[in-house]
Amino acid sequence: NAGVMQNPRHLVRRRGQEARLRCSPMKGHSHVYWYRQLPEEGLKFMVYLQKENIIDESGMPKERFSAEFPKEGPSILRIQQVVRGDSAAYFCASSPGQGLANEKLFFGSGTQLSVL
Amino acid sequence: GIQVEQSPPDLILQEGANSTLRCNFSDSVNNLQWFHQNPWGQLINLFYIPSGTKQNGRLSATTVATERYSLLYISSSQTTDSGVYFCAVVMILTGGGNKLTFGTGTQLKVEL
């Protein structure tokens, strides 16, 4: 039973390019979360998605960042026109989405984005 | 929003020593998790502990929800315990789902 899979593990982009980060949740999980970890800091919530719906994006920067979780395929976090300040580790987590008050979140290994 | 603070920020131990890490939070929460982030960046779930005490091998955790703090105990530390320890409080999002707010972390280094 594979865990949460993220790819690529490392991504290098030049300023102004686009970055696409992919996350495949655990089998049977329908809820996906994205978190960002800046150097020397804890993880910060970005967005919460269910299949084909963005439920809460209160942690997403207002510009250049978008996320989707299509009916088929992985969740994608997209960063347009990257800047050096976007350099960070981006973690994806998933949960079963059974409506329980205290479902566990399972984290992937993260994608380390480096902007040159 | 809720504030989560951890102490100490940095800790160096000799192998075999014991330690206690603390997590304070500013408001009532639905649940609390402890994580270990290893030197390769992977996040490992340690405990899911809204209240009371749990033990897993050399690790144990206690949460006193009414006083808004949690403690992580590491006994007989080993070099493989090195890394960053995070606590994260769990809040239920409008529309379902759980949001984690992470603390500032404790950087632990265990030396031979």
Side-chain angles (χ1 to χ4, degrees):
Chain A
N1 184 17
V4 178
M5 304 299 291
Q6 289 188 248
N7 65 82
R9 188 78 174 90
H10 300 277
L11 181 62
V12 179
R13 285 288 178 266
R14 296 191 181 278
R15 282 179 294 169
Q17 290 184 320
E18 179 180 285
R20 279 180 175 250
L21 288 62
R22 288 177 289 278
C23 169
S24 296
M26 286 180 69
K27 186 177 181 180
H29 285 193
S30 61
H31 291 198
V32 165
Y33 306 77
W34 285 94
Y35 284 78
R36 177 166 66 175
Q37 184 179 28
L38 294 171
E40 310 296 327
E41 294 187 11
L43 281 72
K44 290 197 168 44
F45 170 81
M46 298 181 76
V47 62
Y48 161 50
L49 309 102
Q50 299 176 13
K51 282 285 187 182
E52 299 185 277
N53 287 302
I54 297 173
I55 306 301
D56 188 311
E57 55 182 347
S58 57
M60 287 277 272
K62 293 290 184 271
E63 298 178 348
R64 302 188 297 108
F65 284 71
S66 62
E68 63 176 10
F69 188 18
K71 186 176 180 181
E72 301 291 337
S75 175
I76 305 289
L77 179 67
R78 181 182 178 204
I79 312 172
Q80 295 178 290
Q81 298 175 321
V82 296
V83 300
R84 289 205 173 127
D86 297 333
S87 295
Y90 291 83
F91 287 90
C92 170
S94 72
S95 67
Q98 296 169 337
L100 300 175
N102 291 303
E103 288 189 337
K104 290 183 181 180
L105 269 62
F106 296 84
F107 281 83
S109 298
T111 292
Q112 180 65 52
L113 172 65
S114 298
V115 180
L116 303 179
Chain B
I2 192 167
Q3 303 298 313
V4 183
E5 294 184 354
Q6 292 183 241
S7 60
D10 299 281
L11 185 60
I12 300 176
L13 297 176
Q14 293 297 310
E15 195 172 45
N18 304 327
S19 65
T20 301
L21 282 57
R22 187 177 179 101
C23 172
N24 293 328
F25 44 97
S26 61
D27 206 345
S28 300
V29 298
N30 298 108
N31 214 320
L32 184 141
Q33 284 187 263
W34 281 98
F35 293 88
H36 175 215
Q37 187 170 38
N38 65 23
W40 296 272
Q42 291 180 305
L43 275 172
I44 300 160
N45 285 286
L46 297 177
F47 292 101
Y48 198 69
I49 181 166
S51 63
T53 297
K54 290 186 178 180
Q55 181 147 9
N56 184 4
R58 296 181 296 104
L59 302 180
S60 65
T62 295
T63 296
V64 184
T66 53
E67 297 186 23
R68 299 179 185 169
Y69 73 88
S70 184
L71 303 173
L72 179 69
Y73 306 94
I74 304 174
S75 63
S76 304
S77 58
Q78 300 176 358
T79 55
T80 52
D81 295 333
S82 296
V84 184
Y85 289 81
F86 289 105
C87 69
V89 297
V90 182
M91 302 296 291
I92 297 175
L93 291 166
T94 302
N98 293 331
K99 174 183 176 180
L100 300 183
T101 299
F102 283 77
T104 48
T106 292
Q107 175 80 54
L108 173 65
K109 184 176 181 181
V110 180
E111 298 177 334
L112 292 171

